[in-house]
């Protein structure tokens, strides 16, 4: 029987979903943070549950050849990256086996998963920085990243996955907040003004959008902030205030107010230009996004020119717009109104007239739109949030019977669950992971399903 605080020497036999090492002691699975498959490690047991336990590394007795020097001083506590102690090539192998394991568990058979398409230079890739602002135990203002599974803020000067300029701008805003005694939000008392600083950059256009997430109306140094920031950073195209007064983990509130510029920026993906507003989803790694979309398009049939396609969970219309030239007509559906406004505008500026967008919950409006517009798609793209597809949408897809479903997923567990249901009518033909989030344990995956 395992006991808390006892020490053991274990062999790490695998890596789990969060990159953690897995060992077995007397048949009990033990998860060990930052241990790597193939290593022999002395561990201390931290917590024992009925069928599994958690341990921590005391000493690495035999090191994996894939272990690398940790280059980031906040890595041990930060909730962002969790694979920085492993060489990049090996992180891709781990992600591939995470997808294989999820599919195996749900489908009860081995599925061929292609090698993960990685990045040539997996550093500074994020186009969106969102740092919480708060107060430390000495009541001093603090800005940084949340430590793993907590809301404790770790001060962060440099992050190896965020765009460098976004970091400089965030540091400048934080300096301005401190200089002007603007109150950071205090999660304990729910008082204070600034909750989050969000900076988005168009990697191809270099345009910057700054969003200040505020808890109250006491941010009264707008003019001074605009002058201070825009003088230093000429590529700041817009600054907006977003109000979030709720006691919630959700970062953005519903209401935004533009205080400088138009309230949006542009970026370019492939041959298309996209307008991005503060409340709209936009992929955080645009270099890999082009690869993701082009790979999805590559899986289309040769001739779909007379066909109709659906782009479900379409965000600002990116996948539908990429696909539009291969189809007679494309329909997109998305729940965020502002994203649908962006999508319609994006179709217009890219001179695409065979695409139509609808705002609403896919579960609710998909059946209505199919009936009203008499849509018979040959291809359906789905790119849902982490929770995957709902049962009603799966049922609608089963009845609609498009010859191909291209399922883009950011969560292999819900993906596998949904594929198990779709397999009643579909064969899974291709599984292609793309590394959208290097050094984190997140895995993005394109899956191609053919009608039986
Ligand atoms: C992973 S993102 C994909 C967006 C887009 N396809 C892209 O590549 O940028 C998922 C999108 O689904 C939207 N969404 C979430 N729940 C939804 C629902 N129930 N109905 C419609 N859209 C939803 C989100 O707002 C978000 O834009």
């Amino acid at each position: 029987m395992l006991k808390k605080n006892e020490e053991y020497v274990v062999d790490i036999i695998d890596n789990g979903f969060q990159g953690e090492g897995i060992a077995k002691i007397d048949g009990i699975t033990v998860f060990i943070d930052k241990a790597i498959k193939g290593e022999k490690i002395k561990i201390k047991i931290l917590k024992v549950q009925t069928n599994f336990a958690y341990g921590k590394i005391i000493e690495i007795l035999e090191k994996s050849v894939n272990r690398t020097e940790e280059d980031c001083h906040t890595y041990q506590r930060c909730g962002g990256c969790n694979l920085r102690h492993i060489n990049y090539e090996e992180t891709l192998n781990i992600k591939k086996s995470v997808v294989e394991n999820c599919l195996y568990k749900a489908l009860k058979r081995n599925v061929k998963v292609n090698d993960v398409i990685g990045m040539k230079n997996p550093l500074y890739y994020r186009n969106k920085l969102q740092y919480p602002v708060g107060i430390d135990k000495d009541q001093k203002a603090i800005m940084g990243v949340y430590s793993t599974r907590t809301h404790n803020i770790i001060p962060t000067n440099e992050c190896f996955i965020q765009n460098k300029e976004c970091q400089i701008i965030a540091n400048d805003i934080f300096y301005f907040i401190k200089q002007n005694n603007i109150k950071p939000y205090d999660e304990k008392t729910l008082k204070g003004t600034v909750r989050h600083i969000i900076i988005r950059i168009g990697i191809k256009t270099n345009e910057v959008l700054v969003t200040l997430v505020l808890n109250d109306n006491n941010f009264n140094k707008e003019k001074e902030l605009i002058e201070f920031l825009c003088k230093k950073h000429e590529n700041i195209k817009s600054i907006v205030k977003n109000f979030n007064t709720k006691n919630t983990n959700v970062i953005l509130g519903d209401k935004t107010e533009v205080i400088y510029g138009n309230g949006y920026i542009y970026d370019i993906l492939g041959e298309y230009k996209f307008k991005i507003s503060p409340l709209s989803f936009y992929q955080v790694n645009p270099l890999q996004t082009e690869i993701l979309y082009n790979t999805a398009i590559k899986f289309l049939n040769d001739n779909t020119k007379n066909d109709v396609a659906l782009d479900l969970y379409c965000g600002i219309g990116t996948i539908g717009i990429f696909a539009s030239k291969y189809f007679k007509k494309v329909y997109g559906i998305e729940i965020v109104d502002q994203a649908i406004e962006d999508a319609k505008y994006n179709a217009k500026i890219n001179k695409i007239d065979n695409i139509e967008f609808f705002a609403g919950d896919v579960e609710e409006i998909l059946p209505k739109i199919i009936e009203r517009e008499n849509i018979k798609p040959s291809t359906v793209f789905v790119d849902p949030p982490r929770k995957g597809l709902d049962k009603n949408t799966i049922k609608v897809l089963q009845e609609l019977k498009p010859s191909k479903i291209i399922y883009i997923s950011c969560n292999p567990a819900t993906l596998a669950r949904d594929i198990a249901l779709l397999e009643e009518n579909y064969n899974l033909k291709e599984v292609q992971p793309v590394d959208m989030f290097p050094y984190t344990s997140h895995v993005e995956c394109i899956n191609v399903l053919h009608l039986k």
Side-chain angles (χ1 to χ4, degrees), residues 70-247:
E70 288 168 25
D71 50 2
C72 170
H73 69 281
T74 53
Y75 179 54
Q76 285 298 337
R77 292 182 295 151
C78 174
C81 296
N82 37 11
L83 302 175
R84 282 203 89 76
H85 59 291
I86 305 173
N87 81 48
Y88 182 59
E89 281 310 310
E90 182 60 13
T91 68
L92 300 181
N93 295 333
I94 291 175
K95 290 185 186 200
K96 176 175 168 174
S97 60
V98 165
V99 178
E100 284 169 342
N101 290 341
C102 284
L103 290 170
Y104 181 80
K105 267 193 198 145
L107 308 181
K108 315 274 183 280
R109 62 183 161 81
N110 284 318
V111 172
K112 180 184 175 294
V113 175
N114 298 340
D115 286 344
V116 180
I117 303 175
M119 285 191 89
K120 280 204 185 83
N121 177 12
L123 293 172
Y124 306 107
Y125 58 84
R126 277 186 68 98
N127 60 4
K128 178 171 145 188
L129 165 157
Q130 39 193 30
Y131 281 168
V133 179
I135 46 176
D136 67 9
K137 56 182 185 336
D138 303 319
Q139 300 299 305
K140 281 208 189 103
I142 188 170
M143 175 192 79
V145 290
Y146 288 130
S147 74
T148 319
R149 288 186 283 276
T150 76
H151 267 205
N152 301 331
I153 300 171
I154 310 169
T156 310
N157 293 323
E158 196 190 2
C159 166
F160 290 103
I161 63 170
Q162 297 284 1
N163 173 273
K164 284 185 187 174
E165 191 170 7
C166 290
Q167 299 189 55
I168 296 171
I169 297 174
N171 285 331
D172 284 343
I173 297 173
F174 185 53
Y175 170 82
F176 179 90
I177 287 170
K178 286 188 292 186
Q179 287 296 306
N180 288 278
N181 291 320
I182 297 165
K183 286 213 160 59
Y185 179 62
D186 179 353
E187 277 198 347
K188 287 200 188 92
T189 61
L190 310 179
K191 295 215 166 81
T193 303
V194 186
R195 293 176 76 134
H196 269 88
I197 294 168
I198 304 178
I199 320 282
R200 265 178 157 175
I201 187 162
I203 299 289
K204 294 261 176 72
T205 58
N206 204 30
E207 296 184 0
V208 170
L209 170 66
V210 172
T211 303
L212 298 174
V213 185
L214 306 176
N215 177 52
D216 59 29
N217 241 329
N218 294 339
F219 191 91
N220 50 16
K221 297 268 180 190
E222 289 172 12
K223 272 200 200 123
E224 293 86 340
L225 175 74
I226 293 166
E227 205 181 299
F228 168 75
L229 268 190
C230 298
K231 208 183 265 172
K232 269 186 107 172
H233 306 278
E234 283 177 3
N235 52 338
I236 294 183
K237 292 289 164 201
S238 193
I239 305 177
V240 305
K241 297 198 291 192
N242 172 272
F243 294 95
N244 186 357
T245 53
K246 290 186 188 151
N247 181 10

Side-chain angles (χ1 to χ4, degrees), residues 281 283 293 313-315 318-319 334-336 360-362 383-385:
F281 177 91
Q283 299 282 357
Y293 294 168
Y313 311 88
C314 68
T318 42
I319 295 176
E334 157 68 42
I335 203 163
V336 175
D361 185 336
V362 166
D383 185 9

